[in-house]
Amino acid sequence: MRQRLARVLGGVAILALVAGGAAACKKEEPATNGGSTVSGLKIGFFGALTGDAAGLVTPGKNGAELAIAEYNAANPGANVTLVPFDSQGSGDKAAPLATAAVADEKIIGVVGPAFSGESEVANPIFDKAGLPIITQSATRPSLNSKGWKIFHRGVGNDLSQGPAIGRYLKDVAKADKVYLVDDQSAYGTGLRDEVEKILGAAVVGKNKVTEKQVEFGPVVTAVKNSGATAVFYGGYTPEAAPFLKQLRAGGFKGTFIGGDGLYDANMLSVTGKADVEGAVVTCPCGPATAAKGNFVADFKAKFGTDPGVYADVAYDLTKVFLEGFKAGKTTRADMQAFLGTYNGVGTATGVTYKWEANGELDPAQVSIWAFVAKDGAWANPTQLPKS
């Protein structure tokens, strides 16, 4: 009896070991909540969440958080989370952050990277891992030419924004002498190049500044000596704000214009109300405070402030990923395929999101807007002609 029992128990032990080994070898699958909703999936958010450039990115992160909160409320047990990757806008930080993102298998998509320079570093890592991304604000045109299958852009690129700025200077500002300045970044230089193509002989001088530069005396002098009636700046707020302040102190009273890299609250506050007055910025995005549906009210209720630049865009792009989850796309490969055939209207922006083979937004959906600094705020939103 004891021998028989031992044999039986031994067989049970062997079966338990086999079952345990099989379980150990089986890849962990996403959990469900007892129904069809998959629980515990993640979306990454990649960009400058702290530092001088955060004003351009944190509104978008808040928009993404709002989209996920609404999805979780409507889908009990989904428990989708947003995982932030704070690049501080630095290409040096982009590689380890991207590596960390791809290592988390529950991250099925990424909103961002927010800037073009960090995109050039992070996107090859995302592409190798097959992790699909949709950037809400990286506008350098060449990002679409790298062969990254995972690349999608949720706004127009600088082949749209640059010419629009050039035409604004010629047709609206009536500037016949324009001085061009850029910060040598992937974004700033690329945008300057497209502006210059439109202006041609109206360009009376060019100059470059560097990241973290604070003294712009020689550039201010060069602008004044050129006789320019307008200055274009390609780059970001941290350098543009003190540059404009010094430009005004040096006596320049002409038009100052830049792209979406200057379209944040810091450009207004750091420059100062008097010196920034009349400055113009453009963006491949409409005013977030005029977004459609309940977005503005819901955003303000959750965060206690009006939505800032790209908040509505990031909200809608996050919802694209969430629609994928709802449709059962719980792997990176399935999500990539989902984006390849996606065709849907953003509830906040009203944009029809449909991507071409190179990851660019359908050209018919691209729009460029201009905003003017007035009384310490970005005002007078105007959609610019496409040609």
Side-chain angles (χ1 to χ4, degrees):
M1 184 70 177
R2 290 180 180 176
Q3 289 179 344
R4 184 179 178 184
L5 181 58
R7 285 197 296 272
V8 172
L9 292 174
V12 172
I14 290 170
L15 288 173
L17 286 171
V18 171
C25 293
K26 185 179 180 181
K27 184 177 179 180
E28 182 182 354
E29 299 294 338
T32 63
N33 63 357
S36 60
T37 302
V38 175
S39 180
L41 296 175
K42 302 176 183 178
I43 297 172
F45 190 94
F46 196 109
L49 302 177
T50 60
D52 292 340
L56 290 167
V57 183
T58 51
K61 176 179 175 287
N62 289 343
E65 286 184 358
L66 176 61
I68 290 174
E70 291 175 347
Y71 181 82
N72 286 336
N75 297 275
N79 298 323
V80 176
T81 55
L82 187 72
V83 183
F85 295 93
D86 181 10
S87 66
Q88 297 183 342
S90 169
D92 293 338
K93 297 181 183 298
L97 289 173
T99 300
V102 302
D104 187 340
E105 294 185 355
K106 287 191 175 182
I107 296 180
I108 307 301
V110 173
V111 177
F115 294 163
S116 298
E118 64 189 14
S119 295
E120 292 180 336
V121 177
N123 285 359
I125 299 171
F126 293 141
D127 192 63
K128 185 176 180 180
L131 177 56
I133 65 104
I134 316 176
T135 178
Q136 77 279 23
S137 55
T139 55
R140 185 175 177 87
S142 62
L143 295 179
N144 70 21
S145 66
K146 310 291 186 179
W148 302 322
K149 294 179 181 179
I150 50 82
F151 174 74
H152 305 83
R153 190 173 353 231
V155 293
N157 65 37
D158 290 335
L159 293 180
S160 299
Q161 185 173 203
I165 293 172
R167 290 190 293 269
Y168 184 96
L169 284 165
K170 291 176 67 174
D171 301 336
V172 179
K174 305 297 183 183
D176 57 355
K177 295 181 179 181
V178 183
Y179 199 97
L180 307 180
V181 181
D182 74 86
D183 66 353
Q184 305 182 64
S185 68
Y187 160 73
T189 300
L191 187 59
R192 184 215 66 193
D193 289 345
E194 299 308 320
V195 173
E196 186 174 6
K197 291 175 185 177
I198 297 297
L199 294 176
V203 176
V204 295
K206 296 186 288 185
N207 220 315
K208 295 182 179 295
V209 298
T210 60
E211 183 182 358
K212 300 189 184 302
Q213 185 171 336
V214 295
E215 174 53 53
F216 300 92
V219 184
V220 170
T221 299
V223 171
K224 291 175 61 179
N225 290 343
S226 73
T229 57
V231 171
F232 163 78
Y233 185 88
Y236 297 100
T237 291
E239 292 75 39
F243 171 56
L244 176 55
K245 195 172 187 68
Q246 292 172 40
L247 199 59
R248 295 301 191 206
F252 179 76
K253 300 185 183 301
T255 300
F256 182 90
I257 188 170
D260 55 311
L262 314 187
Y263 180 36
D264 69 348
N266 287 343
M267 186 66 195
L268 299 167
S269 61
V270 175
T271 307
K273 185 176 178 179
D275 290 331
V276 79
E277 185 77 9
V280 181
V281 295
T282 61
C283 187
C285 62
T289 51
K292 301 179 183 302
N294 297 323
F295 172 76
V296 176
D298 291 345
F299 188 99
K300 193 165 186 175
K302 184 172 179 62
F303 300 106
T305 185
D306 287 328
V309 58
Y310 290 122
D312 51 341
V313 179
Y315 172 85
D316 278 348
L317 298 181
T318 303
K319 289 184 71 173
V320 172
F321 284 128
L322 294 170
E323 284 184 44
F325 291 168
K326 189 70 172 176
K329 311 305 178 184
T330 60
T331 69
R332 294 170 180 178
D334 285 349
M335 185 63 77
Q336 176 70 14
F338 176 79
L339 295 180
T341 60
Y342 186 82
N343 187 340
V345 179
T347 58
T349 63
V351 170
T352 297
Y353 291 104
K354 179 181 179 181
W355 287 281
E356 299 186 319
N358 64 356
E360 291 289 1
L361 190 65
D362 178 359
Q365 300 303 314
V366 172
S367 62
I368 307 297
W369 291 71
F371 305 82
V372 180
K374 183 177 181 181
D375 295 328
W378 293 117
N380 303 334
T382 304
Q383 188 170 354
L384 301 181
K386 290 190 175 183
S387 61

